Amino acid sequence: MNSIRVVIADDHRMIREGLKQLLELDGDIVIIGEAGDGIECLEQIETKKPDVLLLDINMPRMGGLKVLEKLKEMKSTTKVLILTIHNEIEYLLKAVEIGVNGYVLKDSESDLLRKAIFAVYGGETFIQPNMIPLLNEKLESREDMTSSENLLTKREMEVLRLITEGLFNKEIAYNLSISEKTVKNHVSNIFRKISVSDRTQAAVYAIKNNIVDVL
C-alpha cells in the first residue's frame, strides 16, 4: 500500500512536529505539508492535494470549521479529520453538518488517531466513540424508530450499528461473518433507503432515530 499523504494544520509548531514524528514511525503515513493558520492550510491543500488533512479548529486568520466549509465549496477530494481539544458537542454537530470525515480529540491515544486516519483515507467515517453519547443527548428531534426498522432489513440494521461505531467494511464483514462485497452492497442499500450520501450522515441518522445504543 502507498503511504497516506497527510497535511497537518495546527497553529502550534510543537504539536505539528510531535504529530509528524509520531505518525511517520512505520512509513504508512507521510507528512507532506504543514500549516499554522487557515489561509496557509487552504494553500497547502490546493498545491499539494494530500489524501488526508489533520485540521485543528482554533487557528488564526481562518478557523478550522471555516476551512472545512471552503474545502467543501472547492469540492476538494482531501479527507478532513478534525483533531481538536474541543469536546463540546456543538463543534462536532457543526463539523458533521458541514461534512467532516472524522473527529478526534487531542488527548486520544495515538492508536486511535492512526485508526481514524486510515478510516477516513479508506472512505470510512470516524467519530471518536466517547463523543457519541454527547451527540445522542444533544439531538432533540427524533423520528419514530418503528418506521426505520420497517425500512431496513435486520442485517442492514446490524451493518448500520457497526457503521456508527466507526468500523471499516472489512471489520464489519469479520464481525458479521459475511464478505466485504456483501457489506458494500448493504451499505449502498442503507444509504438509498434512508436518503443519505455518506457514512457520517448515516451514523447521525442512526443516533437521531435511536437505532443504535449509546456507547
Side-chain angles (χ1 to χ4, degrees), residues 8 12 19 62 64 114 118 152 157 170 177:
I8 301 172
H12 293 92
L19 286 171
M62 182 182 292
R114 290 180 60 82
F118 278 93
L152 301 177
M157 294 282 284
K170 286 184 179 180
S177 299

Side-chain angles (χ1 to χ4, degrees), residues 175-204:
N175 272 268
L176 299 180
S177 299
I178 58 179
S179 71
E180 188 175 356
K181 181 178 180 181
T182 299
V183 172
K184 289 179 180 178
N185 289 336
H186 285 315
V187 171
S188 296
N189 289 336
I190 291 167
F191 285 6
R192 175 177 54 79
K193 288 182 177 182
I194 65 176
S195 301
V196 300
S197 58
D198 61 41
R199 299 172 85 94
T200 301
Q201 293 174 4
V204 171

Side-chain angles (χ1 to χ4, degrees), residues 46 48 70 92 125 140 157 165-166 180 183 186 196 209:
E46 189 171 2
K48 298 187 176 179
K70 291 290 186 182
L92 173 56
T125 298
E140 298 175 353
M157 294 282 284
E165 292 177 18
E180 188 175 356
V183 172
H186 285 315
V196 300
N209 290 282

